[in-house]
């Protein structure tokens, strides 16, 4: 049932050095992240600001170089690739959509320019067909009439329209993988659904593998097939989206679920246990679980040993000594 | 008190009105090129209630907040209507009177509040600043009060000596809320206070605000685009679209019985976390350009119920602006479909 | 700025082209024409350019000729600006001098700005070794004191033609602009649309020239105008000191001869006044143009204009109140 992975991420790690020459620290933005992106599926990467989810997307788009780990695309590790030709080929297959629709388009260039460039750089179609292809792409993302829209500048479009242009630009190279970095967070609520529906349609029609990075669990549930939960640079839970949300293993996932506004909660509002802690990247983290300061289930071993990602149920894994202890593997068949 | 009951309270016994806006209109610019950001808005906030004001970009909600505090940035100005606080008209007051009014009666927490803190001043000093600007209080007492307030919002008192960059985003937001509380105002305006914060911190802050409201009895005007947040925390909700209020109702009523097609569309734009997974449609199109709004009902170009199949109704929808009408106690809607047009 | 935080700013970088009648006028031209300061500046500079263009038509054939019969004459109908000690027509010298000055200013501006933009932006975008090297070069040029260098260079150079001076001036003035443009490019380079261009596969050259620079037009234009008038003034200054080519016609040379012959001491104000006024007029025009560009580039300055209530009242009448006008 599971098709071969389009993009395989193994142990991806990114540390940023901060501080002065005398007091250097390393921010562990991404630590040992592994997952797969399969064609025709949407994988949601959920986490709060600073959890490292955007960094993961940018690492996969090769906007940063990883500190460690491998990113396997069609067999070869793209993190090690240096030759311009190979980098270009990778870029034509793996594309990125940005969060801020107001920033991801060049304000002094027309829509046409944005969509033409990738067509020309990668030679997708012969020169005389470029114009036609631009119009086709605009239609594919629901921007009609295409001729009119193509002549507009970004500031003449609404936020939703700009994200569609970003999608059209991405589709121009006919990518196999699309990394969407919070594509709807800065859009009006009523427009988000349109973009999400468009993503689902593109995944079905073109068999693209999507990585949907977001902090909104609800929209993750709406579009995604698989869910990855990140905390302080690590993946703390993963699995099929319905199962993870219905019976979450990791305490952080449970915390997130409890925190999302829900009208039905009105009468039964339990105060969330207020433990100090931030979901942001850890600086020079010690050994042990990074969630330990906020965890209601913490036991002694949690502050000493970093829990590994353990598949406690079929297809569902979590990084927790309590709910997904590592000796579980030995116990089950 | 309304916050504990699901069923809407009959308006006869609701607490006295604190802030009343009648026919408020705010323009940006003058003459031909002006954009009317707020067009004839009626709104009432009662003592001790949380009124949520929800809408998407360009609906005018932030403009209303700025108008209430009288801090509209030129070329924005109040073009028409009245605004009264406990019966006193706010429009036309002198700058000095407004200064006294601000912070003691009404205070505001801005959208990018985290950036509203002066980065080179300690947190405690910023409290002192705010307090000394509005009442005679010596530094020592002001600092003591600052420490108290920090405690109230769940921050360690010792942080009075901290600089803003030493605090996390959520903590800075709480500091801003504490500063807004420092003079015991009767009304606090919160303009998208949790938009930039993550879901967990958002809940903590909302719970804090609720607890403080319970203790101090102030009213809250809560402005946000996140209706689901309001459904959980607000007492009453007003939905704005393109500069007008299109529906107001108690939160529980709005959740189950929203009448205006825009409200319905908006509520349906929040994918559920529980229950079956269904395809949603959102609302097609985008909000209008306020320099040239649609004639008649401003929502009609996007409304699923506006079709030429019913020509009489269609004519009404495209020519006449609907007025807010009460459809049940406490619940008003501005829509031709509701309250008598055809159904 | 996100959709959730709407403002009424107009985007400054790409006002759409306006179609005026049949002519497609680029949006930025319209903006510059609308702004009072830049409009005035453009008119003034435009006037000077016009004069320079028609100069051969309105001047005498050999402005530097000696004509002792007509020497030291005050302005009259035959000699609109009077004559020099040697009898040369000052009017001709001024209008012909305009050619040299404007040409030189433009040449220096083009060279210096071109160099500054190319090196500064490329360094900022490329980062790493390229940035370090260019930075070093910029610093070297910045630390060289300009005036002494110019004085020394023009004293030693055998060939003091206009182009030589242009090159020398450009080399002195480019570094300052380069640093500023590098700074701005550094800010722009982490913007999403630049990252997007990179992720699309654009080459460095294309990103620098086709994506980054078009977004820096206002700063580059401002730099251009700035270098223009600094070059004008510096060149005139050098010539006044006697370091230029004394055989050519230019404002500075006229001023030099005026000073050498101590004309003012003899009550002859016109050899000083007219070339000086021409220089001042041109520079003022450029300064106004620069101020206008600054205003146009900064959307905040544009939007906060309330209707003018008279300059006097604005200056002395207290705050501009945003009082509500309760309309009937």
């Amino acid at each position: 049932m599971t098709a071969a992975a389009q993009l395989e991420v193994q142990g991806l790690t990114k540390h940023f050095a901060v501080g002065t020459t005398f007091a250097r620290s390393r921010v562990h933005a991404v630590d040992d992240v592994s997952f797969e992106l399969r064609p025709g599926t949407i994988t949601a990467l959920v986490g709060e600001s600073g959890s490292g989810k955007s960094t993961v997307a940018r690492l996969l788009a090769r906007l940063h170089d990883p500190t460690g780990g491998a990113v396997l695309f069609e067999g070869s590790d793209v993190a090690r690739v240096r030759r311009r030709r190979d980098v270009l080929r990778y870029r034509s297959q793996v594309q990125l959509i940005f969060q801020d629709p107001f920033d991801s388009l060049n304000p002094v260039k027309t829509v046409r320019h944005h969509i033409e460039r990738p067509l020309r750089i990668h030679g997708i179609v012969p020169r005389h067909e470029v114009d036609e292809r631009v119009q086709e792409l605009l239609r594919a993302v629901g921007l009609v009439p295409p001729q009119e829209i193509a002549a507009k500048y970004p500031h003449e479009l609404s936020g939703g329209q700009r994200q569609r242009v970003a999608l059209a630009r991405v589709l121009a190279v006919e990518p196999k993988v699309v990394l969407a970095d919070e594509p709807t967070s800065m859009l009006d609520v009523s427009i988000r659904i349109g973009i999400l529906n468009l993503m689902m349609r593109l995944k079905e029609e073109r068999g693209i593998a999507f990585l949907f990075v977001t902090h909104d669990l609800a929209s993750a549930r709406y579009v995604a097939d698989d869910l990855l939960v990140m905390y302080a640079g690590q993946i703390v839970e993963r699995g099929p989206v319905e199962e993870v949300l219905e019976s979450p293993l990791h305490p952080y996932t449970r915390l997130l679920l409890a925190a999302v506004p829900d009208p039905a909660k009105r009468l039964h509002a339990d105060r969330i246990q207020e433990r100090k802690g931030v979901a942001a990247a850890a600086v020079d983290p010690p050994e042990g679980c990074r969630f330990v300061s906020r965890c209601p289930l913490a036991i002694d071993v949690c502050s000493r040993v970093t829990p590994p990602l353990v598949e406690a149920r079929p297809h569902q894994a979590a990084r927790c000594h309590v709910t997904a202890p590592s000796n579980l593997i030995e116990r089950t068949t | 008190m309304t916050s504990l009951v699901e069923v809407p309270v009959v308006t006869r016994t609701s607490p006295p009105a604190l802030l009343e806006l009648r026919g408020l209109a705010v323009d940006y610019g003058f003459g031909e090129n002006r954009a009317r950001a707020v067009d004839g808005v009626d709104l009432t906030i009662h003592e001790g209630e949380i009124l949520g004001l929800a809408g998407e970009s360009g609906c005018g909600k932030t403009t209303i907040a700025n108008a209430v505090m009288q801090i509209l940035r030129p070329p924005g100005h109040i073009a028409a209507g009245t605004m009264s606080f406990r019966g006193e008209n706010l429009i036309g007051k002198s700058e000095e009177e407004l200064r006294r009014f601000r912070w003691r009666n009404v205070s505001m927490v801005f959208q990018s509040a985290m950036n509203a803190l002066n980065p080179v001043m300690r947190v405690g000093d910023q409290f002192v600043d705010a307090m000394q600007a509005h009442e005679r209080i010596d530094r020592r007492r002001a600092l003591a009060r600052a420490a108290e307030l920090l405690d109230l919002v769940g921050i360690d008192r010792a942080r009075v000596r901290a600089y803003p960059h030493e605090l996390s985003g959520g903590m800075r937001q709480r500091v801003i809320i504490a500063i807004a509380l420092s003079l015991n105002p009767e009304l606090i305006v919160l303009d998208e206070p949790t938009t930039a914060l993550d879901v967990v911190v958002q809940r903590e802050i909302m719970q804090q605000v609720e607890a403080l409201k319970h203790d101090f009895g102030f009213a809250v005007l809560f402005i946000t685009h996140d209706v689901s947040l309001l459904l959980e925390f607000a007492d009453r909700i007003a939905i704005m679209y393109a500069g007008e209020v299109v529906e107001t109702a108690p939160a529980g009523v709005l959740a189950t019985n929203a009448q205006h097609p825009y409200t319905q569309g908006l509520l349906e734009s929040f994918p559920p976390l529980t229950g079956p997974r269904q395809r949603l449609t959102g609302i097609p199109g985008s909000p209008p350009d306020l320099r040239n709004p649609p004639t008649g009902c401003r929502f009609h170009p996007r409304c699923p119920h506006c079709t030429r199949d019913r020509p009489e109704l269609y004519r009404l929808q495209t020519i006449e602006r609907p007025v807010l009408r009460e459809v049940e106690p406490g619940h008003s809607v501005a829509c031709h479909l509701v309250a008598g047009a055809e159904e | 700025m996100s959709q959730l935080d709407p403002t009424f700013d107009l985007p400054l970088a790409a006002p759409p082209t306006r179609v005026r009648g049949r002519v497609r006028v680029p949006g930025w031209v319209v903006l510059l024409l609308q702004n009072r300061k830049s409009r005035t500046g453009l008119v003034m500079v435009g006037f000077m350019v016009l004069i320079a263009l028609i100069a051969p038509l309105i001047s005498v054939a050999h402005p530097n000729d000696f004509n002792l019969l007509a020497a030291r004459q005050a302005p009259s109908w035959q000699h609109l600006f009077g004559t020099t000690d040697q009898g040369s027509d000052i009017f001709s010298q001024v209008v012909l001098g305009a050619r040299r000055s404007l040409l030189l200013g433009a040449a220096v501006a083009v060279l210096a700005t071109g160099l500054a933009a190319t090196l500064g932006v490329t360094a900022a975008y490329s980062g790493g070794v390229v940035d370090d090297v260019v930075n070093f070069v910029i610093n070297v040029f910045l630390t060289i004191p300009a005036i002494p260098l110019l004085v020394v260079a023009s004293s030693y150079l055998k060939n003091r033609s206009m182009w030589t001076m242009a090159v020398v001036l450009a080399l002195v003035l480019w570094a300052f602009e380069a640093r500023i443009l590098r700074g701005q490019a550094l800010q722009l380079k982490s913007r999403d649309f630049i990252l997007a261009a990179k992720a699309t596969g654009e080459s460095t050259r294309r990103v620098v020239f086709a994506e980054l620079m078009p977004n820096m037009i206002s700063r580059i234009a401002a730099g251009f105008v700035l270098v223009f008038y600094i070059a004008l003034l510096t060149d005139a200054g050098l010539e006044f000191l006697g370091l230029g080519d004394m055989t050519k016609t230019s404002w500075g040379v006229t001023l030099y001869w005026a000073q050498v012959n101590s004309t003012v001491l003899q009550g002859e104000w016109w050899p000083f006044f007219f070339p000086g006024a021409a220089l001042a007029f041109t520079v003022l025009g450029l300064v106004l143009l620069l101020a206008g560009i600054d205003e146009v580039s900064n959307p905040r300055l544009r939007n906060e204009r309330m209707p003018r209530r008279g300059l006097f009242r604005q200056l002395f009448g207290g705050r501009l109140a945003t009082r509500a006008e309760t309309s009937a």
Side-chain angles (χ1 to χ4, degrees), chain A residues 5 79 87 92 207 279:
Chain A
V87 172
S92 72

Side-chain angles (χ1 to χ4, degrees), chain C residues 126-146:
Chain C
S126 307
V129 170
V130 175
D131 194 20
D132 290 337
V133 167
V134 171
N135 238 354
F136 178 75
V137 171
I138 292 178
N139 285 332
V140 165
F141 273 90
L142 276 178
T143 41
I144 299 175

Side-chain angles (χ1 to χ4, degrees), chain C residues 3-326:
Chain C
Q3 195 171 37
L4 301 172
D5 176 25
T7 62
F8 280 83
D9 277 1
L10 293 172
L12 48 129
T17 56
R18 314 276 179 96
V19 183
R20 293 226 159 145
R22 293 271 166 83
V23 181
R24 293 209 113 206
V25 181
W28 55 269
V29 171
V30 174
L31 279 176
L32 286 178
L33 286 174
Q34 278 176 347
N35 178 281
R36 199 171 290 197
K37 289 181 189 154
S38 58
R39 192 169 57 221
T40 319
L42 274 174
V43 165
M44 289 166 79
V45 175
F47 175 70
M48 262 330 202
V49 170
L50 188 64
I51 297 285
L53 284 174
I54 65 172
L57 301 173
I58 54 175
S59 58
V60 303
H62 302 285
N64 293 327
D65 272 356
F66 292 128
N67 185 357
L68 291 167
L69 289 174
R72 300 167 185 252
Q73 283 185 11
S76 63
W77 281 114
Q78 280 128 336
H79 299 282
L80 277 172
F81 288 173
T83 58
T84 65
D85 268 19
Q86 279 75 35
S88 314
D89 179 28
I90 291 179
F91 179 77
S92 309
Q93 289 193 338
V94 168
V95 298
L96 281 172
R99 293 193 140 200
R100 184 213 145 87
S101 297
L102 290 175
L103 208 49
L104 180 93
V108 176
V110 166
L111 283 172
T113 311
L115 196 58
T118 309
L119 283 183
V121 176
T122 309
Y125 180 68
S126 307
V129 170
V130 175
D131 194 20
D132 290 337
V133 167
V134 171
N135 238 354
F136 178 75
V137 171
I138 292 178
N139 285 332
V140 165
F141 273 90
L142 276 178
T143 41
I144 299 175
I147 306 285
L149 172 68
L150 285 168
V151 170
V152 167
S154 28
S155 319
Y156 272 102
L157 285 172
K158 292 287 184 336
N159 175 8
R160 292 189 193 165
S161 76
M162 193 193 80
W163 296 108
T164 324
M165 282 309 294
V167 170
V168 171
L169 278 170
L171 283 178
V172 167
L173 295 173
W174 78 276
F176 184 72
E177 269 308 299
R179 166 160 292 181
I180 294 181
L181 291 175
R182 176 179 169 272
Q184 197 189 16
L186 277 177
Q187 280 188 332
L188 279 176
K189 89 164 184 183
S190 48
R191 296 270 301 268
D192 281 349
F193 66 88
I194 298 294
L195 292 176
K198 188 172 169 184
T200 306
E202 296 271 27
S203 64
T204 304
R205 191 178 58 90
R206 268 214 69 107
V207 172
V208 166
F209 287 99
E211 306 272 337
L212 277 172
M213 281 208 214
N215 276 290
M216 297 169 63
I217 289 284
S218 58
R219 192 64 198 76
I220 294 178
F224 184 91
V225 173
L226 185 73
V227 171
F228 199 124
Y229 75 75
I230 290 183
L232 266 182
L233 289 170
T234 315
D235 179 55
L238 285 173
E239 287 172 343
F240 181 72
L241 292 175
L243 296 168
D245 187 349
M246 294 303 131
T247 61
K248 294 292 184 239
T249 313
S250 90
W251 295 334
V253 170
T254 311
L255 285 169
Y256 170 77
W257 286 117
Q259 190 256 345
V260 158
N261 295 328
S262 310
T263 55
V264 176
L265 288 176
Q266 296 163 26
E268 291 162 19
W269 52 271
W270 51 93
F272 257 125
F273 177 77
F274 290 105
L279 185 60
F281 183 82
T282 313
V283 171
L284 181 62
L286 288 167
V287 167
L288 281 173
L289 180 58
L290 182 59
I293 292 178
D294 274 344
E295 250 178 45
V296 160
S297 313
N298 189 341
R300 280 183 213 274
L301 291 174
R302 268 192 276 145
N303 274 349
E304 283 179 11
R305 290 266 184 73
M306 291 292 280
R308 311 289 302 257
R309 289 208 183 113
L311 193 60
F312 186 81
R313 270 186 66 191
Q314 273 190 317
L315 288 175
F316 300 103
R319 67 208 181 280
L320 276 172
T322 29
R323 286 190 186 285
E325 288 134 24
T326 39

Side-chain angles (χ1 to χ4, degrees), chain A residues 3 6 21 25 31 44 48 56 89 103 105-106 109 141 147 213 223 249 263 267 269 272 292 331:
Chain A
Q6 198 69 267
T21 345
S25 338
D31 250 339
E48 296 311 320
V56 167
R89 216 178 70 78
D103 212 34
L105 301 178
N106 193 332
K109 300 285 186 189
V141 297
Q147 281 288 43
V213 177
V223 292
L249 284 171
L267 302 175
I272 289 196
V292 71
R331 272 202 268 134

Side-chain angles (χ1 to χ4, degrees), chain A:
Chain A
M1 190 206 89
T2 44
Q6 198 69 267
L7 192 73
E8 220 183 297
V9 180
Q10 293 173 346
L12 193 61
T13 303
K14 178 70 179 165
H15 296 167
F16 291 102
V18 289
T20 62
T21 345
F22 298 108
R24 276 247 123 119
S25 338
R26 301 187 74 84
V27 173
H28 290 229
V30 177
D31 250 339
D32 192 30
V33 161
S34 308
F35 60 89
E36 279 179 4
L37 295 177
R38 286 186 300 281
T41 61
I42 300 184
T43 306
L45 182 56
V46 170
E48 296 311 320
S49 45
S51 57
K53 56 194 197 301
S54 285
T55 314
V56 167
R58 284 165 189 230
L59 281 167
L60 294 183
R62 289 221 55 190
L63 290 173
H64 300 303
D65 283 323
T67 317
V71 176
L72 300 176
F73 181 69
E74 290 177 355
S76 45
D77 184 3
V78 293
R80 308 275 167 258
V81 163
R82 286 277 164 251
R83 287 215 321 259
R84 174 162 168 76
R85 201 158 42 105
D86 297 327
V87 172
L88 206 59
R89 216 178 70 78
Y90 179 71
R91 289 209 197 288
S92 72
Q93 299 294 291
V94 177
Q95 285 282 304
L96 181 61
I97 300 179
F98 295 84
Q99 175 178 7
D100 190 347
F102 291 67
D103 212 34
S104 60
L105 301 178
N106 193 332
V108 298
K109 300 285 186 189
T110 57
V111 166
R112 169 171 287 122
H113 166 96
H114 287 97
I115 304 185
E116 254 182 16
R117 287 307 302 156
L119 289 175
R120 286 191 202 272
I121 295 175
H122 299 275
I124 307 285
V125 286
R127 204 174 286 192
H128 56 274
E129 284 177 35
V130 165
D131 208 28
E132 206 187 292
R133 178 59 66 95
V134 168
Q135 295 193 37
E136 240 179 79
L137 287 164
L138 286 173
R139 258 181 247 124
V141 297
L143 287 173
V144 287
Q147 281 288 43
E148 243 183 68
I149 305 261
K152 288 192 188 249
Y153 287 92
H155 66 264
E156 297 175 292
L157 301 173
S158 72
Q161 287 173 316
R162 285 182 227 200
Q163 282 303 51
R164 286 173 195 257
V165 170
L167 267 167
R169 167 170 65 184
V170 152
L171 289 177
V173 293
E174 289 162 16
K176 302 224 174 64
V177 176
V178 173
L179 312 161
D181 187 4
E182 302 218 47
T184 52
S185 324
M186 290 176 106
L187 296 179
D188 270 333
V189 165
S190 60
I191 305 197
R192 289 181 194 177
I193 298 284
I195 302 290
L196 294 176
N197 286 344
L198 179 59
M199 274 174 57
M200 287 198 286
R201 203 184 77 215
L202 291 173
K203 142 197 128 163
E204 276 156 30
E205 279 173 13
R206 299 176 186 228
I208 300 177
F210 272 93
L211 178 68
F212 178 55
V213 177
T214 179
H215 64 269
D216 180 13
L217 265 180
S219 45
R221 181 186 182 226
Y222 184 66
V223 292
D225 303 300
D226 295 312
L227 183 63
L228 301 164
V229 181
M230 263 188 98
Y231 183 81
Q234 294 174 321
I235 299 224
V236 295
E237 185 155 4
R238 68 156 183 249
V241 68
E242 280 298 330
E243 284 156 47
V244 171
L245 293 179
E246 232 165 89
S247 34
L249 284 171
H250 198 278
Y252 178 63
T253 317
R254 297 182 192 169
L255 182 65
L256 273 182
L257 270 171
V260 174
D262 184 4
K265 284 207 186 93
R266 231 190 135 73
L267 302 175
H268 315 288
D270 309 313
R271 277 193 89 106
I272 289 196
Q273 299 203 315
E274 253 177 78
R275 304 286 197 95
K276 304 294 176 259
V278 200
V283 183
D284 295 330
E287 269 293 309
C289 177
R290 294 184 188 175
F291 191 61
V292 71
S293 57
R294 300 168 85 181
C295 187
L297 306 174
I299 55 179
D300 181 49
V301 65
C302 296
S303 27
R304 287 187 289 112
V305 179
T306 309
L309 205 52
V310 168
E311 197 166 302
R313 295 193 196 124
H315 303 299
Q316 194 178 348
R319 196 187 281 273
C320 179
H321 287 301
V322 176
T323 56
S326 41
N327 53 15
L328 196 67
I329 298 220
E330 283 102 60
R331 272 202 268 134
T332 57
T333 46

Side-chain angles (χ1 to χ4, degrees), chain B residues 65-85:
Chain B
N66 290 344
V68 166
M69 293 293 284
Q70 299 267 23
I71 51 172
L72 284 170
R73 238 176 162 206
H77 61 282
I78 297 180
T82 62
M83 205 161 61
S84 45
F85 187 82

